[in-house]
Structure formats: C-alpha cells, structure tokens
Amino acid sequence: MSKGIRIILELLVVLILMIGFSVAWFDWNKLHDTIVDAVNDRTGRTVEIHGDIDVRLSMTPVITIDGIVLSNAEWASADEMLRLKRLRVSIRLWELLRGRVVLPLLELEQPILNLEKNSEGDVNWQFDPGLIAEAAVPETRSEFPVIGKLQIREGLMHYQDATSALDFEGEITTVAGHGGDVDDAIELTASGRLQERPFKLELRAGSLLDLRDEDQLYPVQLTLSVADTKIAIDGTIDRPLQLRGLDLTVNAQGPDLSRLYELTGAILPGTPPYKISGQLVHRDDLWQIESLHGEIGDSDIAGDFALDTGSERYRISANLHSERLDFDDLGPLIGAPPSTGPGETISEEQQAVAKKMRRKGKVIPDEAFNLDRLRDADADVRFSAREVLAPNIPLEGLDFELTLQDGVMTIEPLHLAIAGGAIAGSVILDATQKEINWQYDLALDALKIGKLADVAGAEDIAGGTLDGSIVMHSRGNSMHDTAANGDGRIELNISGGRLSSLLIEIIGLDVAESLGWLLTDADHSIPFRCAAGVLILKDGMVETEYLIVDTADTRIDAELSANLEDESYALTLHPSPKDASPFSVRAPLHVDGSFKEANVRPDVTSLGLRATAAIALGTLATPAAALLAFIEPGPGQDADCRKFSQSQLR
C-alpha cells in the first residue's frame, strides 16, 4: 500500500470518527421545525411537539418523541384528533435500504384519540390531500410493514358517528408480538361506555407476520358486549386490510334486537330476548348475514339480512320466515310487551312495561315509538310465518312486505290467514312530521264464525262467514294515541250461520221458553236471517250507525258507544221477540265497563215498570191477572235483510 493511499484511508477514518462523534452529540431537537413542517405538508393538519426528540443510534435506531398533538378536522367537535404522551419506534436501516419497512418496536404511551364521522359521512381521519390515509391501507398485504412488538399503553379513545348515533368512550390496550416475536397474535381489549351503557371488546387475531402473508387466510376472534347484548365473531378474512373476503360466523344474543342499533346503525324492531346466528359476508358497502337462524322470544326465525352503508341513508334488506311464530312475540312492534305467563320469554325491561300496563288497567299500549330511527334509514323487508300460536285469536298464518323510504313505512301487501279466511290490505305510517300519520285499509274475507266463536268461548254460535272492511286514518306516536285520534268506518256482515235458541231466549229474558229448553235438556239452533253492522269512528269515539242480528225467533238491535281514549264502552242489546210468550220479562240488556272488565245487567227501568204493573193488576183484579204484565205479545218484525246484505255495505 502506498504512503498516499495510507494517508487517504487515515483521513477517512478520522472523518468517519468525527461524523460519528458529531452525530452522537447532535441535538435532535433542532429538527423539531423540520418534522413539524413535513407532517403539516403531508396531512394538511397542524402538528405540535411539546417534548423532546431523542434518537439512539445503531443499525436499528430507536426514535422517541414526547408530547405530540395533532389537530382535528375543522368540522369536528374536538380541537385535537390525537394527543400522545410518547411515541417510541425502532427501524432496521438495512431493511429500509432494501425497500422493506421493518419496525421491531412500535409503542404508543397514553394516546388520546378522537375519531368522528359527521352526518354527511365525512370522517376526521381522512387527511388532505389524503396521502397519509392512502398509505395507511396498502393495496396488498405484503406492503404492510413488519412490526415486531406493537403496544398501546393506557390508551383512551372517543368515537362518534352521527350517521348511526354511535358514541363510544373508553380505554384501549393492544399488545402484539411480545419480545419482538412476530409470530405472536394480536390482542386488543377495549372497555368503556357506549350510548351510556357498559361496553367491552376483546379481539384476538393472527400475528402481524400473518397480516402480510397473501397466501394465508387471516384468523379473527372478536367478542363484544353492550350491557346484556353480546356478539361473538369467529372465522377468517382473505384481505384483512380492506375488510374483504370475510368468512365469519356471527352469534348474537340479547334482550331486544332494537338495541343492536347502538352497534350497527341498523334500525331493527323491538323484540323479546333473542339468540341468532349467521354467516357474515362483506362486499363493498354491503354487509350481509346469510343463512341467519335462531330464536326470537318463543318463535324461530330464519332467512337473510343485509345492510347497505354506501348511500347517505343506511338501507336494510331482509327476507325472513318463521315455521312457528308465537304471536305475542310481535307485541314489542306496537309497544306492547310479550306475554308474562309461565314459560314465556321476556326481558326485564319488557316485564316492567307489562307491570306498568297492569297498574294502569289499560289494554292499548301507550309506549312511544322512536321517530328518529324511522327517519334514519330505509328498508325492504319480507316476512312470513307458516304456523302462528295465538291462543285468543284463530290466526293461522302471516305474510307481509314492508318498505321504509324517507320516513314513510308502507306495509303492503299485508295478509293474515285467520279463522279459515283472511284479513288483507295495507297500513301506512308517515313519520316525516312531529306526529306519525296512520292509514289503515283492510278487508275481512270469509272469516268462519264458528272458529271466531270457539276462541271467544261462545259455543252458542256456529257456521256462517264474516266479511267486512276497516278504513281508518289517525295520528299519534303510540298505539294509544293512534286509537284516541282515529277517524274511520268499520263494516261487518255475516252470511249463513246459526245461533243457539237458548241464548236468544236468555238475551230476551224469556223465562218460559228458556226454562223449557233447560228442563228438556235440549237446545235448537236458529239460523241467522241476517247480521250486519256499521261502526263510525270519530276522534277516538266509536258509535253505531246500525248493528243488528235477526233470526226467525228474535230481532236484536244493538247500540255501541266506545271511548278509545279511556278504553270504556257501553253496549245495549234491544231484543224484539217474534213469538208470544206466557212469561217474559224481555228488556234491554246492558253490557258496559272497560276493555279489561265488563258488567252485564238488564234494564232496571223496564223491569221496574213491568213489576209495578203486575202489582197493580194483582191488587185490582186477581193474582192471576198479575201475570198479564209479563205476557209478551211478540211485536218484533223481520229486518229488511236486503238493506244489510254484503253488497249494500259501503
């Protein structure tokens, strides 16, 4: 080696040593403004560093920055998006020179993160011009950096989503790749309050090394709970960075499906306690649960469910069916609790509603509907039930299609198979105003009188069919308010059918004939000549236009008055016999009371007049003459059944 070359090498060594000593003693805080300006240029946000910047030099340098504050979007509710007590990161320089990002350590100490989505769908983590956001989600899994140990200590996060009313605030702790071992699984825990309810989340996923492997499905196990609502997700994701290629089994259970709104933003109906499962599929903005099955209350449920989050308003699509529907499980749809009897499935909150209704002594539910949820999303739902369990209603099947668009819900067609016939038509709820506007248009077609009578315990009525219509419009934010403000018309017509002659005589208080039927242990039925009625509903008051039952033996005209506001009613039956009877105290029969309790009594005034006449005749003439006051000459006339025929009903 020549002397000149030796001198050059010695000078290079001295120069390297001088650079090394200079770097070692370099004040890295002098780069403060350079780092701040670079972040500001890349994000369009203001970043501040209130602490020191420290670099420990090696082939894997460790960089520590204290007191980082990143400003929020201009529209966001909080001033800061991120406040971080300390960021510590190490990077392998040789890997970086090869074009690979390898971070043996990434540690965030006491981060406070405010994430927000506004009503227009803008998110505060979308930066301008978006370079950071694009870099945060690589196109391929192999572009994701290799991270050895990821740790978040004493983290706090607040997340608000105005599009779904989601509001979470709690603690977050994440640990992955303990001790630099990239094969360790990611573990994340979060706890806090969601919509003022206790919230907990636990995530266990594949390692950060698995996250980069294009040829391997990424395993995920997630459990979360909000109060008594619990969701468990287990399966794999093909493209975890983009949430694509999901093959996940979802199990959910809780006291009421409507509470899932807090987690998903999906508008779901009120229900009894449920337990359901399905396969979660995600394509673009569409989230689907396929092969959904389980139980809601005491009813089974199956079908498919989808939530489209791509538009300004979420849209729900569902095709559901039930093989065995317990009818009282539909009660929460109208603000009524399910049955509280033995063996019935009901939540504690619904039990409280049932107790409240019992204390009030009311039948019509007065729980208010949530108007905001009706206005927040759109829906297309199809539901059918093959078998319906309804002890007090001869309901045999149910089928309807529901559309919710811009706050207007339309249930059409609506078809109830009932008593061998059907009730069909439409119901419309317009929730775009302060009060819901309701419209009912229903037709009663060939309901079997015998089946209706059996469930009512009225075995004295047999045969015949009931037809009619119900047309009503109203306003109100509960079923009670809707009934109390209703206007409309109810038309009923019975064709065919027979009525117990004993019942006819008892209604007319014909003691002689009634006693005769009882003593002979025989009872003959009498066919209806006609039976029909028209009820008028005005401001929640029901009055009869006419209500008549006519047989060969007796004509019964009825008057009904009902107040749907206080649930009281009064029904008066006026029997008019068509045959003479030797001992009759025929008088109007009154039935009144509340929808929960009824009183039945004869007209005291009419009976009193007959008793006075009997006493007078017995005094002035003979005791036998007193019976003349109770002899019914039979003045009843046949009704004009053509007037009340189905074709005449308007």
Side-chain angles (χ1 to χ4, degrees):
M1 180 181 298
S2 66
K3 184 177 180 181
I5 294 176
R6 183 181 295 112
I7 292 173
I8 292 174
L9 289 176
E10 288 176 354
L11 290 173
L12 287 174
V13 170
V14 172
L15 180 61
I16 291 172
L17 290 173
M18 290 177 64
I19 293 173
F21 280 114
S22 297
V23 171
W25 293 98
F26 181 73
D27 184 2
W28 294 97
N29 288 311
K30 293 181 179 180
L31 298 178
H32 177 283
D33 293 341
T34 302
I35 295 173
V36 167
D37 291 341
V39 176
N40 291 347
D41 292 340
R42 291 284 301 229
T43 64
R45 304 276 183 88
T46 300
V47 65
E48 299 175 2
I49 298 177
H50 297 286
D52 293 331
I53 302 173
D54 179 65
V55 179
R56 295 183 181 180
L57 288 175
S58 69
M59 294 309 297
T60 307
V62 178
I63 303 168
T64 304
I65 304 177
D66 292 337
I68 299 174
V69 177
L70 179 64
S71 66
N72 216 334
E74 292 182 358
W75 52 264
S77 56
D79 294 333
E80 303 167 355
M81 176 181 169
L82 173 66
R83 176 177 286 272
L84 184 60
K85 179 180 180 181
R86 176 169 295 161
L87 169 66
R88 181 178 289 112
V89 59
S90 65
I91 185 168
R92 291 180 181 168
L93 296 180
W94 287 120
E95 296 288 352
L96 189 61
L97 293 175
R98 295 169 55 192
R100 299 177 69 227
V101 178
V102 178
L103 307 177
L105 173 67
L106 178 58
E107 182 177 291
L108 288 78
E109 185 176 341
Q110 296 183 15
I112 301 174
L113 184 62
N114 293 302
L115 300 179
E116 189 171 354
K117 184 176 183 181
N118 64 20
S119 57
E120 286 75 34
D122 300 323
V123 294
N124 70 333
W125 58 89
Q126 182 70 48
F127 297 97
D128 183 20
L131 298 176
I132 297 295
E134 292 176 5
V137 185
E139 292 184 4
T140 63
R141 291 169 62 175
S142 60
E143 295 178 4
F144 190 80
V146 177
I147 300 176
K149 181 180 181 181
L150 170 65
Q151 185 166 8
I152 300 174
R153 293 190 299 175
E154 300 180 33
L156 296 175
M157 187 179 81
H158 185 201
Y159 177 71
Q160 302 175 78
D161 186 344
T163 63
S164 64
L166 189 63
D167 193 335
F168 165 74
E169 187 169 6
E171 300 179 356
I172 295 180
T173 300
T174 301
V175 177
H178 299 270
D181 185 355
V182 295
D183 289 330
D184 285 343
I186 295 174
E187 296 178 357
L188 181 147
T189 60
S191 61
R193 300 193 72 80
L194 179 67
Q195 245 77 329
E196 300 304 319
R197 297 178 184 271
F199 172 87
K200 185 175 183 180
L201 178 148
E202 294 181 354
L203 170 68
R204 182 176 177 82
S207 69
L208 292 167
L209 184 62
D210 293 337
L211 202 58
R212 294 173 42 85
D213 192 344
E214 297 281 353
D215 298 324
Q216 181 174 334
L217 296 175
Y218 190 68
V220 174
Q221 290 181 331
L222 172 68
T223 61
L224 58 87
S225 62
V226 182
D228 295 330
T229 299
K230 296 179 175 59
I231 298 177
I233 297 175
D234 189 1
T236 60
I237 306 176
D238 183 33
R239 299 174 61 190
L241 301 180
Q242 293 81 20
L243 280 180
R244 299 288 190 272
L246 277 63
D247 185 11
L248 302 171
T249 299
V250 179
N251 294 280
Q253 64 182 56
D256 188 335
L257 270 176
S258 65
R259 293 188 184 178
L260 287 177
Y261 177 80
E262 300 166 349
L263 288 171
T264 65
I267 298 175
L268 299 172
T271 68
Y274 65 91
K275 187 176 183 180
I276 55 177
S277 302
Q279 206 68 17
L280 180 63
V281 177
H282 180 213
R283 300 183 184 92
D284 298 325
D285 296 315
L286 188 64
W287 296 82
Q288 294 175 284
I289 298 181
E290 299 177 344
S291 303
L292 183 148
H293 62 280
E295 296 180 350
I296 299 178
D298 299 309
S299 307
D300 66 86
I301 190 73
D304 298 302
F305 175 90
L307 176 64
D308 188 346
T309 62
S311 57
E312 182 178 347
R313 295 162 58 85
Y314 285 1
R315 188 167 200 89
I316 297 169
S317 301
N319 189 352
L320 305 170
H321 63 272
S322 175
E323 292 294 315
R324 184 175 180 271
L325 173 66
D326 192 338
F327 191 64
D328 70 79
D329 288 336
L330 299 179
L333 292 175
I334 59 172
S339 174
T340 58
E344 295 285 349
T345 303
I346 184 171
S347 69
E348 292 183 3
E349 186 174 323
Q350 290 159 352
Q351 287 177 339
V353 173
K355 290 180 180 178
K356 179 180 175 182
M357 290 185 66
R358 285 196 296 268
R359 284 197 306 268
K360 290 184 176 181
K362 301 299 183 182
V363 173
I364 304 175
D366 61 358
E367 290 293 307
F369 298 106
N370 191 321
L371 292 183
D372 291 336
R373 294 189 182 181
L374 289 176
R375 298 165 181 160
D376 281 351
D378 300 324
D380 293 294
V381 178
R382 171 71 186 272
F383 178 79
S384 62
R386 189 177 67 85
E387 179 186 359
V388 182
L389 304 179
N392 299 318
I393 307 173
L395 191 58
E396 296 144 2
L398 174 63
D399 193 343
F400 66 81
E401 294 184 19
L402 181 152
T403 301
L404 178 60
Q405 184 69 45
D406 297 326
V408 179
M409 180 186 293
T410 302
I411 304 175
E412 185 180 17
L414 170 63
H415 184 273
L416 292 83
I418 180 170
I423 297 178
S426 65
V427 178
I428 300 175
L429 292 74
D430 185 344
T432 58
Q433 305 299 319
K434 185 176 180 180
E435 284 187 302
I436 301 176
N437 287 313
W438 301 68
Q439 294 182 43
Y440 301 85
D441 190 350
L442 303 171
L444 287 64
D445 183 24
L447 277 63
K448 301 296 185 293
I449 296 298
K451 291 188 176 183
L452 293 172
D454 286 344
V455 296
E459 300 177 356
D460 302 296
I461 306 174
T465 58
L466 172 66
D467 299 281
S469 64
I470 302 173
V471 178
M472 174 181 165
H473 60 89
S474 185
R475 69 186 189 282
N477 295 337
S478 70
M479 293 306 298
H480 174 268
D481 291 346
T482 302
N485 297 314
D487 296 311
R489 181 182 180 91
I490 301 173
E491 301 180 349
L492 305 171
N493 180 271
I494 295 176
S495 57
R498 305 178 69 85
L499 189 62
S500 165
S501 54
L502 175 59
L503 180 62
I504 287 287
E505 302 305 333
I506 291 177
I507 289 176
L509 298 180
D510 190 331
V511 178
E513 290 205 35
S514 300
L515 188 59
W517 294 122
L518 290 171
L519 292 176
T520 59
D521 195 26
D523 182 20
H524 300 285
S525 60
I526 301 173
F528 288 117
R529 292 188 65 254
C530 56
V534 171
L535 306 178
I536 304 300
L537 177 61
K538 183 67 175 176
D539 293 329
M541 297 295 298
V542 180
E543 301 289 345
T544 49
E545 186 171 293
Y546 62 80
L547 186 58
I548 185 171
V549 175
D550 193 23
T551 71
D553 182 81
T554 301
R555 168 176 170 164
I556 302 173
D557 292 273
E559 297 173 358
L560 173 65
S561 177
N563 185 335
L564 302 184
E565 169 71 30
D566 62 15
E567 299 188 9
S568 63
Y569 75 98
L571 172 66
T572 301
L573 305 178
H574 298 276
S576 300
K578 299 178 182 179
D579 58 340
S581 174
F583 185 64
S584 174
V585 287
R586 297 183 189 274
L589 186 66
H590 298 291
V591 182
D592 56 25
S594 70
F595 290 176
K596 289 187 72 72
E597 296 181 0
N599 304 308
V600 181
R601 53 188 171 79
D603 189 279
V604 177
T605 302
S606 297
L607 290 179
L609 290 175
R610 290 202 175 210
T612 301
I615 293 172
L617 288 171
T619 303
L620 297 175
T622 65
L627 296 177
L628 294 175
F630 295 101
I631 295 178
E632 178 59 67
Q637 301 295 319
D638 287 345
D640 182 2
C641 288
R642 290 177 299 177
K643 174 182 177 182
F644 307 119
S645 66
Q646 184 178 358
S647 62
Q648 296 296 316
L649 289 176
R650 291 173 298 210

